[in-house]
């Protein structure tokens, strides 16, 4: 409360009706929007995000089946197993790279020639896959994957062209947001034991919701800075109950768990 108001209240004992009116007004009148309690989540537009700048996340890939991905090497895209149909030759996927605006005339568009789905993927856990592009792309930074759990905590960046609200449309412009780590025990409780803790890592504002990945962001990376200040991929967008709902964090494939398998698969695909 501002000082002059306090002073007025202290000196206003001579005007009891005026004091009563002010106190009543404080209870009856709605508070102006800016005076409402502070919200820890950033503003509206991924859910609860903002538009990414051109070149900010050069490794972001949009896949034509409606998923995201991250550039792992000049011709391999790391995505989610649930975004692809299985392992084998596949020329049916188009990757769009190098732009935040999917309709930009500078977009790089490359077809796939092979898909590698995590062996043993059955709809639960192991939600990762590699898509090999028919041509190497140049001039775009790749996103290194985390090989240990050292970065599996803290604040993560999420990004994608998916819905900005549950059941909302896909986006033309790349969105970004940040979400805090949620530990396995808390996340497993939230999902009544459906988490596979070794395979999955959770993130989100548990009590308030409001910021999350959503449909169409799947396969895209969740990433943070490593000890050298470089981006490193710690998660792959996998699933959640709705989007950005309080009590339900986003669930991501835990990249550190699969890093060796991803590297081995990448080698078998030619790098
Ligand atoms: N399965 C969704 C997709 O295919 C991603 C859902 C992520 N949901 C969430 N609440 N974080 O795009």
């Amino acid at each position: 409360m501002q000082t002059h108001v306090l002073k007025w209240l202290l000196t206003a004992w001579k005007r009891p009706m005026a004091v009563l009116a002010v106190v009543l007004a404080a209870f009856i009148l709605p508070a102006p929007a800016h005076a409402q309690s502070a919200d820890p989540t950033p503003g509206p537009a991924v859910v609860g995000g903002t538009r990414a700048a051109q070149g900010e996340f050069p490794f972001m890939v949009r896949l034509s089946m409606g998923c995201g991905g991250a550039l792992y090497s000049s011709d391999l895209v790391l995505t989610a197993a649930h975004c692809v149909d299985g392992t084998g030759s596949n020329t049916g996927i188009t990757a769009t790279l190098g732009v935040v605006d999917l309709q930009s005339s500078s977009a790089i568009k490359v077809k796939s020639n092979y898909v590698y789905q995590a062996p043993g993927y059955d709809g639960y856990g192991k939600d990762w896959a590699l898509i090999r592009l028919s041509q190497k792309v140049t001039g775009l930074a790749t996103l290194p994957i985390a090989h240990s759990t050292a970065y599996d905590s803290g604040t993560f960046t999420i990004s994608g062209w998916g819905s900005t609200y549950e059941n909302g449309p896909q986006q033309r412009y790349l969105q970004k947001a940040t979400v805090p780590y949620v530990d396995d025990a808390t996340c497993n409780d939230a999902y009544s034991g459906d988490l596979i803790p070794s395979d999955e890592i959770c993130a989100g504002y548990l009590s308030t919701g409001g910021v999350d990945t959503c449909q169409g962001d799947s396969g895209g990376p969740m990433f943070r800075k490593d000890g050298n200040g470089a981006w490193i991929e710690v998660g792959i967008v996998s699933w959640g109950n709705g989007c950005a709902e309080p009590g339900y964090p986003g669930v991501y494939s835990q990249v550190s768990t699969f890093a060796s398998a991803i590297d081995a698969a990448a080698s078998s695909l030619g790098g």
Side-chain angles (χ1 to χ4, degrees), residues 82 212-218 237-244 250-252:
H82 82 261
D212 197 5
T213 45
C214 199
Q215 269 56 48
D217 292 322
S218 274
V237 180
S238 185
W239 60 279
N241 178 58
C243 304
V251 184
Y252 299 78

